[in-house]
Amino acid sequence: MGAGDSGHRGTMAAMTTDTTGTAARDEAPRPGGPADSPFVRACRRRPGPHTPVWFMRQAGRSLPEYREIRANVGMLESCRRPELVAEITLQPVRRHRVDAAILFSDIVVPVAAAGVDLDIVPGTGPVVAEPVRTADDVERIRPITRADVSYVDEAVRLLVAELGDTPLIGFAGAPFTLASYLVEGGPSRTHAKTKALMYGDPELWHALCARLAEVTLAFLRVQVDAGVSAVQLFDSWAGALSEADYRRYVLPHSTAVLSGLADAGVPRIHFGVGTAELLTAMGEAGADVVGVDWRTPLDTATRRIGPDKAVQGNLDPAVLLSPWPVVEAEVRRILTEGRAAPGHVFNLGHGVLPETDPDVLTRVVALVHELSARPADGS
């Protein structure tokens, strides 16, 4: 059954009595709870009944029900309405029967809460009124508290109650990607201003990323304490860097976020786009799972990341626009390559494209479950 259906209700009381998220973080998970779900088991490199599957941007523009509910509500406003966040997060779980929900949000939500004047402009993305250029600009990015993002806390608690056995993934942008938006003033193809600051004023750069790491960690902590079963740190633009620059300018700050959650007891996922040459370094940042885009086969990726990490990915989102036999063949290939990893969460190599037919996503979920089904003992 989908999230919110009666099939979830049987365990809901047991799993949500303690709303701090303890139920999702038990070291010895109770059978049937989200911590014993196929998704969390795969993240922990434990066998499960099948390869779990969810999709980045599964809650969004490919769904007609999403377009309808968002028709007259701006993006930032959508992220600040707990009941709306919960409904949008639940939509793909109901429709596709994915193995995990991911909190509907945007990577700039915490920096807006930290006092940065920005807006998410339709067709453009985040636009910052006063881009970061000086130490004073960095100082204006204040630390955030739970009260600053109380709507996220409330949304997570609503979702944990509704999802029952289905795990909820927390969401945040990584310091480099957030810094890129703040320095550029908006999306950029070249990240030229970002790199100019990074190379030209390393002290200011590290001060900015350290502040953003602090904000990001606090944002994820709110979600963990409210009950998410895992978190994903998105470093969408890290692939614009060489490995040497990544290690010098980015890795310390991503590590600060991920290591700051080491005691949280939930799996940590780290994902970036165009990161084939960065996978080894990204694997050192402290995540339990490394997301891989479609450019790198999963068996190659797991050799680079190492045997102590699960992998997530990595169907090219554009493949979903192809005839079904093409989609099926690619799903089979990725499942085969994913067997080289100690744990595999099936996903796309980036987000669902808006023009994707939702029925294809539903068929992919069913196909992954069918092809990867294992005996009842999980062997």
Side-chain angles (χ1 to χ4, degrees), residues 98-173:
V98 285
D99 291 285
I102 185 165
L103 181 71
F104 175 74
S105 188
D106 190 273
I107 63 170
V108 299
V109 165
V111 292
V116 176
D117 184 3
L118 58 82
D119 192 17
I120 301 175
V121 179
T124 300
V127 175
V128 179
E130 297 182 15
V132 171
R133 296 286 185 269
T134 68
D136 286 343
D137 295 334
V138 172
E139 283 302 311
R140 283 196 289 271
I141 304 170
R142 59 179 177 79
I144 64 170
T145 66
R146 185 181 311 277
D148 293 317
V149 288
S150 59
Y151 44 86
V152 172
D153 177 86
E154 183 179 346
V156 170
R157 293 176 190 275
L158 288 171
L159 282 161
V160 169
E162 282 293 315
L163 285 164
D165 293 352
T166 302
L168 175 65
I169 305 168
F171 173 100

Side-chain angles (χ1 to χ4, degrees), residues 15-154:
M15 294 308 299
T16 59
T17 300
D18 177 358
T19 56
T20 63
T22 303
R25 303 198 298 273
D26 287 345
E27 288 301 318
R30 290 183 289 273
D36 195 34
S37 63
F39 167 74
V40 173
R41 293 185 71 87
C43 291
R44 297 291 195 199
R45 308 186 307 281
R46 297 172 181 165
H50 58 258
T51 299
V53 53
W54 69 280
F55 306 107
M56 288 181 282
R57 292 184 184 163
Q58 64 187 16
R61 294 170 292 175
S62 68
L63 299 182
E65 57 266 41
Y66 170 82
R67 293 194 293 270
E68 179 179 356
I69 204 170
R70 277 281 328 279
N72 298 306
V73 187
M75 182 62 185
L76 272 178
E77 178 62 23
S78 298
C79 297
R80 292 167 175 160
R81 295 187 185 181
E83 291 187 355
L84 185 58
V85 168
E87 171 59 25
I88 292 172
T89 301
L90 289 166
Q91 286 176 348
V93 182
R94 296 193 194 106
R95 180 187 274 263
H96 304 313
R97 311 294 173 88
V98 285
D99 291 285
I102 185 165
L103 181 71
F104 175 74
S105 188
D106 190 273
I107 63 170
V108 299
V109 165
V111 292
V116 176
D117 184 3
L118 58 82
D119 192 17
I120 301 175
V121 179
T124 300
V127 175
V128 179
E130 297 182 15
V132 171
R133 296 286 185 269
T134 68
D136 286 343
D137 295 334
V138 172
E139 283 302 311
R140 283 196 289 271
I141 304 170
R142 59 179 177 79
I144 64 170
T145 66
R146 185 181 311 277
D148 293 317
V149 288
S150 59
Y151 44 86
V152 172
D153 177 86
E154 183 179 346

Side-chain angles (χ1 to χ4, degrees), residues 201-247:
D201 195 340
E203 183 177 353
L204 179 58
W205 171 260
H206 285 296
L208 171 60
C209 287
R211 178 60 56 88
L212 292 173
E214 180 183 1
V215 169
T216 299
L217 178 57
F219 187 59
L220 288 173
R221 272 286 180 186
V222 168
Q223 296 173 54
V224 169
D225 290 344
V228 298
S229 296
V231 296
Q232 177 155 314
L233 187 67
F234 287 81
D235 210 351
S236 305
W237 308 134
L241 302 176
S242 68
E243 183 181 0
D245 285 344
Y246 177 87
R247 288 184 177 278

Side-chain angles (χ1 to χ4, degrees), residues 275-277 279 290-306 310-316 330 332-341 344 347 349:
T275 55
E277 298 304 317
L279 289 173
V290 177
V292 183
D293 78 8
W294 67 93
R295 299 169 178 86
T296 308
L298 291 180
D299 49 357
T300 299
T302 202
R303 287 195 296 271
R304 296 178 182 179
I305 295 163
V311 297
Q312 180 175 278
N314 67 341
L315 182 69
D316 186 336
E330 287 297 288
R332 289 178 179 273
R333 175 182 64 81
I334 289 163
L335 285 172
T336 298
E337 293 169 354
R339 293 191 191 109
H344 177 210
N347 207 309

